[in-house]
Amino acid sequence: MKKIRLVINNDLKKREKVKFFIKKELQCILNLYAKMVSNGSWKDYGLKISGKQVAFSVFKNSSENAVYNICKTFKPVNKNLKYSITDTKGRIVKNSYLLKELLP
Protein backbone atom coordinates (compact mmCIF):
# COMPACT_ATOMS: atom_id res chain seq x y z
CA MET A 1 0.00 0.00 0.00
CA LYS A 2 1.29 3.49 -0.94
CA LYS A 3 1.63 6.25 1.57
CA ILE A 4 -0.24 9.48 0.76
CA ARG A 5 1.40 12.80 1.58
CA LEU A 6 -0.41 16.03 2.29
CA VAL A 7 1.05 18.99 0.39
CA ILE A 8 0.74 22.19 2.39
CA ASN A 9 2.91 24.63 0.45
CA ASN A 10 0.64 25.57 -2.42
CA ASP A 11 2.16 27.88 -5.06
CA LEU A 12 -1.19 29.51 -5.79
CA LYS A 13 -1.18 31.26 -2.41
CA LYS A 14 2.28 32.73 -2.99
CA ARG A 15 1.42 34.39 -6.28
CA GLU A 16 0.69 38.09 -6.24
CA LYS A 17 -2.78 39.30 -7.01
CA VAL A 18 -3.23 40.40 -10.60
CA LYS A 19 -3.12 44.18 -10.68
CA PHE A 20 -5.76 45.87 -12.80
CA PHE A 21 -8.39 48.61 -12.71
CA ILE A 22 -10.98 48.06 -10.00
CA LYS A 23 -14.64 47.87 -11.01
CA LYS A 24 -15.48 51.55 -10.29
CA GLU A 25 -12.43 52.78 -12.22
CA LEU A 26 -13.20 50.63 -15.23
CA GLN A 27 -16.84 51.71 -15.14
CA CYS A 28 -15.82 55.41 -15.30
CA ILE A 29 -13.45 54.73 -18.20
CA LEU A 30 -15.98 52.66 -20.14
CA ASN A 31 -18.70 55.30 -19.64
CA LEU A 32 -16.38 57.91 -21.17
CA TYR A 33 -15.47 55.48 -23.97
CA ALA A 34 -19.16 54.84 -24.78
CA LYS A 35 -19.82 58.59 -24.89
CA MET A 36 -16.91 59.23 -27.24
CA VAL A 37 -17.84 56.30 -29.51
CA SER A 38 -21.38 57.65 -29.85
CA ASN A 39 -19.87 61.05 -30.84
CA GLY A 40 -17.75 59.28 -33.48
CA SER A 41 -14.44 60.42 -31.95
CA TRP A 42 -13.15 57.04 -30.82
CA LYS A 43 -13.40 53.72 -32.63
CA ASP A 44 -11.43 51.09 -30.71
CA TYR A 45 -9.62 50.43 -27.44
CA GLY A 46 -6.94 48.16 -26.05
CA LEU A 47 -5.42 47.25 -22.70
CA LYS A 48 -1.74 47.13 -21.79
CA ILE A 49 -0.85 45.35 -18.57
CA SER A 50 2.60 45.32 -16.98
CA GLY A 51 3.99 44.92 -13.48
CA LYS A 52 4.21 48.68 -12.95
CA GLN A 53 1.04 49.96 -14.59
CA VAL A 54 -2.07 49.19 -16.58
CA ALA A 55 -3.20 51.36 -19.49
CA PHE A 56 -6.49 51.74 -21.34
CA SER A 57 -5.52 52.83 -24.86
CA VAL A 58 -7.96 54.66 -27.14
CA PHE A 59 -7.78 54.59 -30.95
CA LYS A 60 -9.43 56.69 -33.65
CA ASN A 61 -8.86 53.87 -36.15
CA SER A 62 -7.79 50.36 -35.29
CA SER A 63 -4.79 50.56 -37.63
CA GLU A 64 -3.26 53.69 -36.05
CA ASN A 65 -1.37 54.37 -32.83
CA ALA A 66 -3.29 55.09 -29.66
CA VAL A 67 -4.57 58.65 -29.41
CA TYR A 68 -4.68 58.56 -25.60
CA ASN A 69 -3.64 56.18 -22.85
CA ILE A 70 -5.43 56.30 -19.50
CA CYS A 71 -2.82 54.85 -17.14
CA LYS A 72 -2.92 53.61 -13.56
CA THR A 73 0.49 53.30 -11.89
CA PHE A 74 0.58 50.83 -9.02
CA LYS A 75 3.48 52.30 -7.01
CA PRO A 76 3.83 55.94 -8.10
CA VAL A 77 6.85 58.00 -7.10
CA ASN A 78 4.63 61.04 -6.68
CA LYS A 79 1.05 60.63 -5.43
CA ASN A 80 -0.26 62.80 -8.30
CA LEU A 81 1.12 60.31 -10.81
CA LYS A 82 -1.24 57.48 -9.79
CA TYR A 83 -3.55 58.17 -12.75
CA SER A 84 -2.42 59.89 -15.92
CA ILE A 85 -3.44 60.52 -19.51
CA THR A 86 -0.62 60.30 -22.04
CA ASP A 87 -0.57 61.14 -25.75
CA THR A 88 0.82 59.14 -28.67
CA LYS A 89 4.42 60.11 -27.83
CA GLY A 90 4.12 59.14 -24.16
CA ARG A 91 3.98 62.70 -22.80
CA ILE A 92 1.73 63.23 -19.81
CA VAL A 93 -1.22 65.42 -20.81
CA LYS A 94 -2.93 65.36 -17.43
CA ASN A 95 -2.36 63.58 -14.11
CA SER A 96 -4.17 63.24 -10.81
CA TYR A 97 -4.49 61.17 -7.67
CA LEU A 98 -8.21 60.61 -8.36
CA LEU A 99 -9.55 59.14 -11.60
CA LYS A 100 -12.80 61.15 -11.45
CA GLU A 101 -10.82 64.41 -11.50
CA LEU A 102 -8.82 63.18 -14.48
CA LEU A 103 -11.72 62.24 -16.76
CA PRO A 104 -14.15 64.85 -18.14
Side-chain angles (χ1 to χ4, degrees):
M1 203 174 194
K2 292 185 178 181
K3 293 183 180 180
I4 300 175
R5 292 187 324 170
L6 177 64
V7 178
I8 297 173
N9 297 330
N10 192 348
D11 289 339
L12 295 175
K13 293 180 182 178
K14 293 181 182 179
R15 291 183 189 168
E16 289 185 28
K17 293 181 180 178
V18 176
K19 296 179 181 177
F20 197 68
F21 291 110
I22 61 172
K23 185 178 178 178
K24 289 180 182 179
E25 295 167 343
L26 196 57
Q27 184 178 10
C28 289
I29 294 170
L30 289 175
N31 286 340
L32 174 65
Y33 175 75
K35 180 180 171 183
M36 297 304 283
V37 166
S38 66
N39 289 342
S41 301
W42 296 349
K43 303 265 183 196
D44 200 6
Y45 73 91
L47 293 169
K48 297 178 192 174
I49 303 168
S50 70
K52 295 181 181 180
Q53 73 176 7
V54 62
F56 186 91
S57 303
V58 177
F59 300 91
K60 280 190 176 180
N61 294 320
S62 58
S63 62
E64 295 180 0
N65 291 334
V67 178
Y68 294 109
N69 292 317
I70 302 169
C71 303
K72 176 183 178 181
T73 307
F74 301 119
K75 294 181 181 177
V77 177
N78 182 352
K79 80 173 195 174
N80 285 334
L81 295 175
K82 183 170 183 179
Y83 298 102
S84 61
I85 296 178
T86 59
D87 62 0
T88 55
K89 296 182 181 179
R91 295 178 294 209
I92 296 175
V93 176
K94 195 174 178 184
N95 60 353
S96 177
Y97 183 71
L98 299 172
L99 185 63
K100 288 186 179 184
E101 290 179 5
L102 188 68
L103 302 177

